[in-house]
């Protein structure tokens, strides 16, 4: 039971394991990711790493397939290239007809996938240094995609036929209406809108159908398992196959399209890359394709060094302007070392506002009463005696007596 619970959580555990292999560290390499994906394949098919890929077929036919042909049959391509007669005579001559049908039925579920791709930079014909290169990839199953492709063409032709008939039948009416200066009928316009809406809805439904998942043949897996394909973009020249971008996963039914995006190297030259596709549900269905890009230097394009130089030049210009301003309007001591009286008043006003805001904030939170006011009181009590000692210098006794005399005389007159 614990094993079944763990196997059912593969779809969440494996992406987490992949995340730890390529999301952490300075450089990401393909080998750890490949090990995780291979581990996923073996778990789904209940196989060991040393076992033959034909262990995924029923009735223990892996040994018969290995010994059956003159040339060693070790891959799915070599198996599918054999005709049915050769399979029956050389491989399955000791098997019953029902067993052979079971084997062929299981083999038909093995994905035979091919890939088309194209690469380039949007809006440019050539790839230059530090460009973002987009690789458009299409994965499709052999045979099935071609049939769906033809059906799609026929569907488009059938949709266009009613429109062509409408144009033929309504052409004379339109010409008459134009000659008479009449406006097109609103009902016809609504019908056209309805037809266009129906076409859009059909296209949406077709897209949803293409995004369907395909169930994998995994008799030992506890529950339903759907095919998932992992796509890796690898730099072929680097040691250990350095990953160029993040690992991407897609669900493949008959056909799926996706895009990879990476940054071109900083130096010009020829660079080789490899697209690797792995199925998480079957062993031996992986494939690889190489492509090469030519990177050139665009002399008219600014580099990072050019931008840094422009930034430095701009900073120097600003410094020179500040120096010129200071030379033309030097600060004056009687303006508190500001350039003008207005600047001094403005700074004083801003400083006063800042002090008011600080006081209100501290007073509203209670910090002023708890921390600031005690300091002020302590400072006042410590300095008040010295202030009283200085009072005779500011208010001499004679001046105080004259003031009291004036006050007394005023009372007498009253």
């Amino acid at each position: 039971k614990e094993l079944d619970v763990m196997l059912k959580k593969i779809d969440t555990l494996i992406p987490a394991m992949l995340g730890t292999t390529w999301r952490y560290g300075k450089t990401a390499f393909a080998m750890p990711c490949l090990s995780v994906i291979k581990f996923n394949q073996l778990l789904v098919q209940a196989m060991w790493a040393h076992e033959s890929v034909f262990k995924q077929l029923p009735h223990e036919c892996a040994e018969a397939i290995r010994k059956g042909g003159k040339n060693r049959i070790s891959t799915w391509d070599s198996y599918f290239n054999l005709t049915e007669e050769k399979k029956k005579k050389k491989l399955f001559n000791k098997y019953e007809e029902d067993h052979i049908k079971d084997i062929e039925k299981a083999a038909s579920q093995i994905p035979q996938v091919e890939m088309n791709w194209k690469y380039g930079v949007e809006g440019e014909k050539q790839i230059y240094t530090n460009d973002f290169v987009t690789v458009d990839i299409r994965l499709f199953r052999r045979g099935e995609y071609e049939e769906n492709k033809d059906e799609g063409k026929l569907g488009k032709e059938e949709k266009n036929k009613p429109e062509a008939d409408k144009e033929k039948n309504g052409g004379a009416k339109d010409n008459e209406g134009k000659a008479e200066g009449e406006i097109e009928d609103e009902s016809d316009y609504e019908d056209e809108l309805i037809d266009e809406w129906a076409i859009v809805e059909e296209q949406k439904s077709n897209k949803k159908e293409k995004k369907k998942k395909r169930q994998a043949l995994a008799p030992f897996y506890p529950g339903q398992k759907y095919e998932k394909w992992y796509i890796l973009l690898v730099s072929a020249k680097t040691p250990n196959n350095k990953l160029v971008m993040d690992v991407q996963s897609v669900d493949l039914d008959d056909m799926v399209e996706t895009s990879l995006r990476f940054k071109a190297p900083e130096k010009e030259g020829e660079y080789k890359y490899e697209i690797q596709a792995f199925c998480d549900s079957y062993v031996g269905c992986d494939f690889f394709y190489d492509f090469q890009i030519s990177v050139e230097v665009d002399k008219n394009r600014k580099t990072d060094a050019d931008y840094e130089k422009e930034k430095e030049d701009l900073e120097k210009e600003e410094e020179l302007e500040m120096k010129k301003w200071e030379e033309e309007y030097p600060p004056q001591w009687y303006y508190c070392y500001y350039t003008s009286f207005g600047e001094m008043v403005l700074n004083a006003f801003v400083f006063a506002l800042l002090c008011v805001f600080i006081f209100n904030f501290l007073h509203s939170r209670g910090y002023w009463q708890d921390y600031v006011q005690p300091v002020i009181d302590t400072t006042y009590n410590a300095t008040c005696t010295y202030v009283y000692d200085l009072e005779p210098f500011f208010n001499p006794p004679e001046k105080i007596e004259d003031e009291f005399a004036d006050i007394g005389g005023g009372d007498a007159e009253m």
Side-chain angles (χ1 to χ4, degrees), residues 10-11 43 56 129 137 244 252 280 300 305 346 351 372 378 380 393 406:
I10 282 180
D11 291 336
L43 281 180
Q56 299 168 93
T129 55
I137 296 174
V244 179
L252 174 63
D280 72 331
N300 298 325
L346 181 61
F351 182 73
V372 180
T378 304
Y380 176 76
F393 294 99
D406 293 339

Side-chain angles (χ1 to χ4, degrees), residues 179-210:
E180 296 174 2
E182 294 178 358
I183 301 173
E184 188 179 3
D185 191 10
E186 294 181 359
S187 61
D188 296 337
Y189 179 70
E190 291 177 357
D191 293 339
E192 289 179 2
L193 288 177
I194 292 171
D195 294 337
E196 291 177 1
W197 180 260
I199 293 170
V200 171
E201 290 296 328
E202 288 182 7
Q203 291 175 353
K204 288 182 180 179
S205 63
N206 291 334
K207 288 182 180 179
K208 290 179 180 178
E209 289 177 359
K210 288 181 181 179

Side-chain angles (χ1 to χ4, degrees), residues 302-348:
K302 293 181 180 180
T303 61
D304 294 339
D306 296 333
Y307 286 114
E308 289 179 0
K309 188 177 180 181
E310 287 182 358
K311 188 177 180 181
E312 291 176 359
D313 294 340
L314 185 62
E315 290 177 354
K316 289 180 181 179
E317 290 179 1
E318 291 178 354
E319 289 178 0
L320 291 174
E321 289 179 0
M322 289 295 296
K323 287 181 181 179
K324 288 181 181 179
W325 177 265
E326 290 177 357
E327 290 175 358
E328 291 178 2
Y329 304 97
Q332 304 296 335
W333 66 269
Y334 46 83
Y335 291 145
C336 297
Y337 292 96
Y338 289 108
T339 56
S340 64
F341 177 75
E343 186 178 356
M344 181 186 69
V345 172
L346 181 61
N347 280 277

Side-chain angles (χ1 to χ4, degrees), residues 222-240:
Q224 294 182 346
K225 181 70 178 74
Y226 295 96
E227 282 186 30
K228 183 180 289 186
W229 286 79
Y230 292 102
I231 301 174
L232 284 69
L233 185 62
V234 176
S235 180
K237 285 187 177 181
T238 55
N240 297 325

